[in-house]
Amino acid sequence: MGSLKTSVFILILHLLEGVLSDSLIQLNNNGYEGIIIAIDPNVSEDEALIQQIKDMVTQASPYLFEATGKRFYFKSVAILIPENWTTKPDYVRPKLETFKNADVLVAERNPPDNDEPYTEQVGMCGEMGERIHLTPDFLAGKKSLEYGPQGRAFVHEWAHLRWGVFDEYNNDQKFYLSNGKPKAVRCSADIIGDNVVKKCQGGSCITKACRIDKLTGTYEKECEFVPETQQTEKASIMFAQSIDSVVEFCTEQNHNKEAPNLQNQRCNLRSTWEVISESEDFKKTTPMTSQPPTPTFSLLQIGQRIVCLVLDKSGSMSSDNRLNRMNQAGKLFLLQTVEEGSWVGMVMFDSTAYVRSELIQINSGADRDALTKSLPTVSTGGTSICSGLRSAFTVIKKKYTTDGSEIVLLTDGEDNTISGCTNEVKQSGAIIHTVALGPSAAKELEELSKMTGGLQMYASDEAQNNGLIDAFAALSSGNGAVSQRSIQLESKGATLKNSQWMNGTVIVDSTVGKETLFLVTWTTQPPQILLWDPSGKKQDGFVVDTNTKMAYLQIPGIATVGLWKYSLQASSQTLTLTVTSRASSANLAPITVTSRMNKDTGKYPSPMIIYANIRQGVFPILRATVTALIESVNGKTVTLELLDNGAGADATKNDGVYSRYFTAYDTNGRYSVKIWALGGAHSDTQRAIPQQNGAMYMPGWIENGEIKWNPPRSEINNTLQHKQVCFSRTSSGGSFVASNVPNTPILDLFPPCQITDLKARIQGDNLINLTWTAPGDDYDQGQAYKYIIRISTRILDLRDKFNESVQVNTTDLIPKEANSEEVFVFKPEGIIFENGTDLFIAIQAVDKTNLESEISNIAQVSLFIPPPETPSSTSTPPLCPDVYINSTIPGIQVLKIVWKWIGEMQVSLGLH
């Protein structure tokens, strides 16, 4: 067996091929360019905040430079200023920069009193994170005692975001046993400090030394490791960048591999510097020989939304009812999706382009209706995509610059001249969203989206899947407030025969209800449409458009909360139902579902990972039923249940991000993804406290022997966890392109996925209890064939020489179906397991064709046998006595010695 570290490194490179990210960050001659820091529209206008952002990045750049061995620095940053702030002469209109693709978001505290800087990370070790979150109070320096200087904390978050490393502390388990002794979770282990407990009662506080629990051998739960202010250790930034001496990331030499933290669990015991060194950034740079320049900043202010529809009306659009379906989807976009106040124009093209509407500002229903009348009605001619794009640029330039404008490009045809306008697209500053319709749409479309930061979507000719309407429903603004965006509640379709009924319900929850629209489409004759509100009252007044074959009803005011029931009846035709709405109030965050893949290209046999992020504001929604529908260009649809269980493709349990591997490739070409999410109706859905990867909150400092406590970390209201949420949502997850899929029957090349949540504990009589989530036959699908469990007293031997480590007898251990909970109890044999022994355990899953998973995360147990009770032991002070220390008095160590001496004297004199 080769080095496991090498195989893991190859796997990471394999998984990172074509990683999908909205970020515009580029590394140019060691400097990071294109970083976007966005200020949330709900943040009160304060020009000082802009200077504080500049100061943070300016301070962070040289710290990053030195921490990375003179490899990286911050070169240029765009600060995105909300539209509702006062316009200034030095604010310019953004180009491709939007709130949607911002790398850093500055927003008010939520929950209240929580100013913790943190980074959203949904991927595996080495994968780029989603976004850094900061608060105005953090940027103003009001939390520097707890998190250290803002620039240093920003570098900690940057490592999460850019290189996919994890924290080296653990708030849930602050201490662990090593050789029978409790140690603080820290990296490096040479960081010095003291283990103490702060007790407060009646307005006064005392500090006392931590007690050792006689049953577990480790410290009591309230114990804190408080570091000295004066240190010599330089690592590690991912443990505590707030310590003055810490200026480096942990390396292979000083990394604490035993510490139970996320870095060890997620990154196979590798140090943060090892992970950074394996990144593409590291490979394409060499250390600089001179100091880097100071970062530069551009101030960009969001303006009104400018959109131009560029729609294909070529002859091929007459096939499979495409032209009419495009008009149905376009009408939904114009009637509902595009926000009030936006400017919208329309161009259609075949061999040449035709302007159907100059830019019109959406201020009323009449404006929306006028634009819908411009949708094309006849399909003829060839396909010239560049003509359509150039015409759109002209339409926009008559009123505005093309910087930051959006173009929605839909086509079903091939065009071998599309490369002729690539440079114009790049230079335009416009964002191009592409919708590929049918199996023959130009293969170059995705490149237009990628180079401009636009969405890429695919819709098949299977009308009942409603893919085209889903695509246009997803085209809400990347800059508008969440309360203004259109939210899709339902998207269903069916082909009915012999007066069949299509029945169902839609949940309108309390977070939505404004401008709720019910839209029905058909292919031949208007169906019978019945709709009832939650009180049972029948809803009439559908507007019927027989030309476009659609009917719609907008509910006045705020739609009633509850179950809306519908029944549609038709014969020998396909019907679809779409329901959209907006937030019920600007003051109540709506429940949203956003979806994406880990890559934009699936290269067989590398799996895709599908993510669905369900949130109400910053709060993750747990225990929802989430389903992904993946449709190939062949029309085959695969249904996957997405899970938030912290296993398989899902990196973190209970973070509101539902994930799953996709391996069911059936052909090369485009695949579309659609998400259904249901909460409360069939499951105990809850709104939860967000889990965060961020800078450590330092409880206090030891300065000249005196403990100086920081204010206690704010407690987040746990009652939020018990609030049940009922909702329904659908969301387009965009599309990806598969390649290298063989034409012959596909062999089994997919191993079981890695077990990432292995846990171990001692269970009486020196038995070890293991728990983990079962992998599958193909990643997280199906059922593995067997498990191989090995143990060692040396953690690196288990990682690097797994096949040489002691194997546990698993004859009676039969794997369960993927995502089931596994429990296995065994007694270590073939190894000396005595008091003070640290034992390390790992698992490998094997499928029926003998394909092996990666080695699991390594679990650890330490055997601690409590000392026997003696008659005198009850009167003798414990090893760590209850030493009460006034936290304002120096000389802690002296007090400890004196107290211990007094205790010993009492015993010897018979006074105890």
Side-chain angles (χ1 to χ4, degrees):
M1 177 181 176
S3 168
L4 181 60
K5 286 198 289 185
T6 303
S7 66
V8 169
F9 172 52
I10 292 171
L11 174 66
I12 287 173
L13 287 183
H14 194 42
L15 290 175
L16 285 179
E17 285 183 330
V19 166
L20 184 61
S21 172
D22 292 330
S23 178
L24 301 179
I25 297 171
Q26 292 187 337
L27 181 61
N28 185 7
N29 294 328
N30 299 84
Y32 288 107
E33 301 177 330
I35 303 164
I36 304 171
I37 300 180
I39 301 172
D40 188 87
N42 292 322
V43 172
S44 300
E45 183 168 354
D46 181 5
E47 202 166 352
L49 187 59
I50 296 173
Q51 186 59 48
Q52 290 159 3
I53 292 171
K54 291 180 178 180
D55 291 344
M56 176 189 70
V57 177
T58 302
Q59 294 162 10
S61 188
Y63 186 63
L64 176 70
F65 185 68
E66 296 300 328
T68 57
K70 305 183 186 299
R71 279 185 183 269
F72 307 118
Y73 69 97
F74 297 121
K75 189 173 185 178
S76 68
V77 173
I79 301 176
L80 210 53
I81 298 165
E83 184 179 357
N84 56 3
W85 282 30
T86 304
T87 301
K88 301 284 177 68
D90 53 343
Y91 298 172
V92 299
R93 184 175 174 86
K95 291 187 177 181
L96 308 182
E97 301 90 352
T98 66
F99 278 98
K100 182 176 176 290
N101 59 22
D103 307 292
V104 184
L105 180 65
V106 179
E108 293 294 349
R109 308 181 283 196
N110 196 351
D113 302 323
N114 180 22
D115 286 289
E116 180 174 334
Y118 71 96
T119 304
E120 292 178 72
Q121 289 179 271
V122 305
M124 306 299 179
C125 180
E127 292 187 15
M128 189 169 173
E130 301 290 292
R131 179 177 288 183
I132 296 170
H133 290 256
L134 306 175
T135 68
D137 276 2
F138 167 81
L139 286 164
K142 296 180 181 179
K143 300 295 176 181
S144 56
L145 283 175
E146 295 90 336
Y147 300 111
Q150 298 92 301
R152 283 173 165 244
F154 185 64
V155 170
H156 178 108
E157 302 310 325
W158 182 261
H160 283 310
L161 180 77
R162 187 65 186 179
W163 302 308
V165 297
F166 294 88
D167 292 322
E168 292 169 340
Y169 63 91
N170 187 343
N171 281 329
D172 296 325
Q173 184 185 344
K174 297 179 180 180
F175 299 91
Y176 65 102
L177 284 179
S178 178
N179 296 321
K181 296 179 180 179
K183 290 186 177 181
V185 175
R186 63 195 191 275
C187 193
S188 83
D190 291 333
I191 296 289
I192 57 174
D194 206 355
N195 307 317
V196 290
V197 175
K198 183 181 181 182
K199 298 285 187 180
C200 297
Q201 187 174 0
S204 62
C205 297
I206 56 173
T207 299
K208 62 180 200 174
C210 294
R211 282 176 136 183
I212 291 181
D213 187 306
K214 291 182 179 180
L215 295 178
T216 64
T218 190
Y219 290 125
E220 56 193 308
K221 183 180 178 181
E222 297 80 11
C223 187
E224 296 277 5
F225 173 77
V226 179
E228 297 272 2
T229 54
Q230 300 298 316
Q231 306 266 354
T232 58
E233 180 57 37
K234 294 183 177 181
S236 171
I237 289 171
M238 299 314 290
F239 170 65
Q241 77 293 327
S242 53
I243 296 174
D244 286 346
S245 66
V246 169
V247 292
E248 297 175 355
F249 295 99
C250 264
T251 64
E252 188 174 10
Q253 286 69 40
N254 59 18
H255 178 57
N256 184 356
K257 299 173 180 65
E258 291 186 2
N261 55 39
L262 275 181
Q263 176 63 24
N264 280 328
Q265 181 182 349
R266 301 280 181 84
C267 297
N268 199 32
L269 310 181
R270 289 173 301 153
S271 67
T272 53
W273 188 245
E274 287 175 89
V275 176
I276 294 169
S277 300
E278 292 166 359
S279 69
E280 289 301 312
D281 288 355
F282 194 92
K283 291 176 195 171
K284 59 186 182 185
T285 55
T286 55
M288 294 173 63
T289 56
S290 59
Q291 290 297 307
T294 302
T296 61
F297 299 89
S298 54
L299 305 181
L300 312 178
Q301 187 170 31
I302 299 300
Q304 293 171 316
R305 188 181 190 193
I306 301 163
V307 189
C308 189
L309 300 179
V310 179
L311 307 177
D312 189 345
K313 62 162 288 291
S314 61
S316 56
M317 287 292 290
S318 62
S319 303
D320 295 290
N321 199 31
R322 289 176 192 163
L323 186 73
N324 196 62
R325 288 170 52 224
M326 178 183 74
N327 287 343
Q328 292 168 345
K331 201 160 183 177
L332 173 67
F333 175 79
L334 296 169
L335 290 174
Q336 176 77 356
T337 306
V338 69
E339 298 81 6
E340 200 86 358
S342 302
W343 290 84
V344 182
M346 189 185 303
V347 168
M348 63 182 184
F349 68 93
D350 44 43
S351 303
T352 58
Y354 313 87
V355 177
R356 296 287 292 177
S357 175
E358 301 290 352
L359 290 179
I360 295 176
Q361 189 171 29
I362 304 291
N363 291 317
S364 66
D367 297 323
R368 296 179 184 273
D369 289 337
L371 282 160
T372 63
K373 292 183 175 67
S374 300
L375 290 164
T377 56
V378 179
S379 54
T380 58
T383 304
S384 176
I385 291 170
C386 285
S387 295
L389 292 173
R390 290 183 181 122
S391 184
F393 294 149
T394 300
V395 166
I396 294 167
K397 286 177 181 176
K398 285 181 181 178
K399 202 162 191 68
Y400 292 102
T401 172
T402 52
D403 287 348
S405 63
E406 298 171 73
I407 290 174
V408 179
L409 170 63
L410 179 146
T411 185
D412 73 335
E414 297 178 351
D415 181 0
N416 56 15
T417 66
I418 195 170
S419 59
C421 58
T422 301
N423 287 333
E424 293 171 65
V425 169
K426 283 182 182 177
Q427 295 166 9
S428 70
I431 299 166
I432 314 292
H433 307 295
T434 58
V435 182
L437 177 56
S440 303
K443 293 178 173 57
E444 298 85 355
L445 285 181
E446 282 77 12
E447 291 303 317
L448 296 176
S449 294
K450 278 192 282 188
M451 74 172 66
T452 63
L455 300 175
Q456 61 181 56
M457 289 168 286
Y458 161 68
S460 74
D461 287 324
E462 301 295 324
Q464 73 276 6
N465 292 340
N466 213 24
L468 200 50
I469 282 180
D470 292 339
F472 275 75
L475 292 168
S476 57
S477 172
N479 284 324
V482 176
S483 61
Q484 298 171 359
R485 294 178 193 165
S486 178
I487 296 170
Q488 197 172 18
L489 308 185
E490 182 63 286
S491 172
K492 287 280 180 71
T495 299
L496 305 181
K497 300 177 181 178
N498 302 324
S499 298
Q500 285 182 311
W501 289 90
M502 174 176 151
N503 302 315
T505 58
V506 180
I507 301 173
V508 175
D509 59 275
S510 61
T511 72
V512 294
K514 186 179 179 182
E515 298 178 17
T516 302
L517 183 80
F518 287 79
L519 175 72
V520 178
T521 73
W522 58 87
T523 51
T524 56
Q525 296 294 324
Q528 183 176 358
I529 303 172
L530 301 175
L531 176 67
W532 298 271
D533 71 10
S535 71
K537 182 181 178 182
K538 186 171 176 292
Q539 301 294 299
D540 297 314
F542 273 85
V543 177
V544 178
D545 180 352
T546 54
N547 291 328
T548 314
K549 297 185 174 66
M550 60 187 288
Y552 57 91
L553 172 66
Q554 188 156 59
I555 307 301
I558 305 296
T560 305
V561 172
L563 279 177
W564 289 66
K565 182 180 177 182
Y566 63 85
S567 291
L568 311 178
Q569 186 185 41
S571 296
S572 304
Q573 62 171 322
T574 299
L575 306 183
T576 72
L577 172 78
T578 306
V579 184
T580 62
S581 190
R582 297 190 199 278
S584 57
S585 167
N587 301 318
L588 178 64
I591 295 170
T592 59
V593 177
T594 55
S595 174
R596 69 171 183 85
M597 281 70 65
N598 64 321
K599 301 174 287 186
D600 51 31
T601 302
K603 294 184 179 179
Y604 180 87
S606 176
M608 298 292 296
I609 301 177
I610 300 170
Y611 301 106
N613 194 344
I614 308 182
R615 287 281 187 276
Q616 184 183 2
V618 300
F619 293 102
I621 301 293
L622 308 186
R623 301 182 187 174
T625 300
V626 184
T627 305
L629 279 75
I630 304 96
E631 183 185 6
S632 73
V633 73
N634 279 351
K636 178 184 175 183
T637 300
V638 174
T639 301
L640 275 182
E641 182 185 3
L642 306 188
L643 302 172
D644 186 16
N645 61 353
D650 192 62
T652 305
K653 185 176 183 177
N654 291 341
D655 66 346
V657 178
Y658 298 73
S659 318
R660 202 71 181 270
Y661 285 108
F662 172 76
T663 59
Y665 300 102
D666 70 306
T667 185
N668 291 310
R670 294 183 174 102
Y671 290 69
S672 67
V673 178
K674 176 176 182 172
I675 303 297
W676 281 339
L678 182 66
H682 303 292
S683 59
D684 182 21
T685 314
Q686 297 177 352
R687 187 174 72 155
I689 296 167
Q691 297 190 11
Q692 299 174 348
N693 300 307
M696 180 170 68
Y697 188 100
M698 193 61 70
W701 298 94
I702 301 175
E703 188 173 344
N704 298 323
E706 177 184 348
I707 292 185
K708 295 183 177 179
W709 290 100
N710 288 327
R713 189 181 183 194
S714 61
E715 293 292 330
I716 300 172
N717 186 359
N718 284 311
T719 58
L720 292 172
Q721 288 185 312
H722 306 295
K723 183 174 182 179
Q724 185 167 324
V725 183
C726 299
F727 68 93
S728 63
R729 296 288 187 274
T730 64
S731 172
S732 170
S735 65
F736 64 90
V737 178
S739 61
N740 298 342
V741 180
N743 294 323
T744 55
I746 297 175
L747 300 174
D748 183 2
L749 298 179
F750 300 111
C753 65
Q754 182 187 30
I755 295 165
T756 58
D757 62 348
L758 177 65
K759 294 181 178 64
R761 63 180 176 86
I762 301 291
Q763 179 183 304
D765 197 25
N766 294 0
L767 295 174
I768 295 176
N769 179 293
L770 300 181
T771 60
W772 68 95
T773 302
D777 176 79
D778 296 342
Y779 288 91
D780 54 8
Q781 315 284 320
Q783 187 174 348
Y785 176 65
K786 67 178 180 179
Y787 293 119
I788 299 171
I789 302 178
R790 295 184 184 273
I791 57 177
S792 176
T793 56
R794 297 172 60 87
I795 192 168
L796 291 185
D797 283 355
L798 187 63
R799 183 188 73 172
D800 300 335
K801 303 173 184 177
F802 181 78
N803 284 353
E804 299 173 21
S805 300
V806 174
Q807 186 168 352
V808 175
N809 185 347
T810 57
T811 304
D812 298 328
L813 177 58
I814 300 173
K816 295 179 181 177
E817 190 73 18
N819 301 302
S820 303
E821 182 184 12
E822 297 276 26
V823 179
F824 181 65
V825 179
F826 71 97
K827 190 164 189 174
E829 296 179 353
I831 206 162
I832 298 175
F833 193 47
E834 57 189 10
N835 195 22
T837 299
D838 298 329
L839 190 66
F840 303 97
I841 308 122
I843 304 182
Q844 190 175 46
V846 184
D847 73 6
K848 57 183 177 294
T849 60
N850 221 32
L851 292 174
E852 298 174 338
S853 72
E854 293 295 321
I855 308 302
S856 71
N857 66 294
I858 295 177
Q860 174 185 355
V861 292
S862 295
L863 184 59
F864 174 78
I865 301 174
E869 291 281 347
T870 63
S872 60
S873 67
T874 57
S875 59
T876 303
L879 182 63
C880 287
D882 283 349
V883 184
Y884 285 79
I885 306 168
N886 187 321
S887 61
T888 62
I889 300 175
I892 292 172
Q893 299 301 321
V894 174
L895 281 173
K896 285 182 179 178
I897 294 169
V898 170
W899 189 265
K900 184 177 181 183
W901 176 78
I902 291 172
E904 290 170 348
M905 288 293 293
Q906 288 176 325
V907 172
S908 65
L909 295 174
L911 300 176
H912 228 294

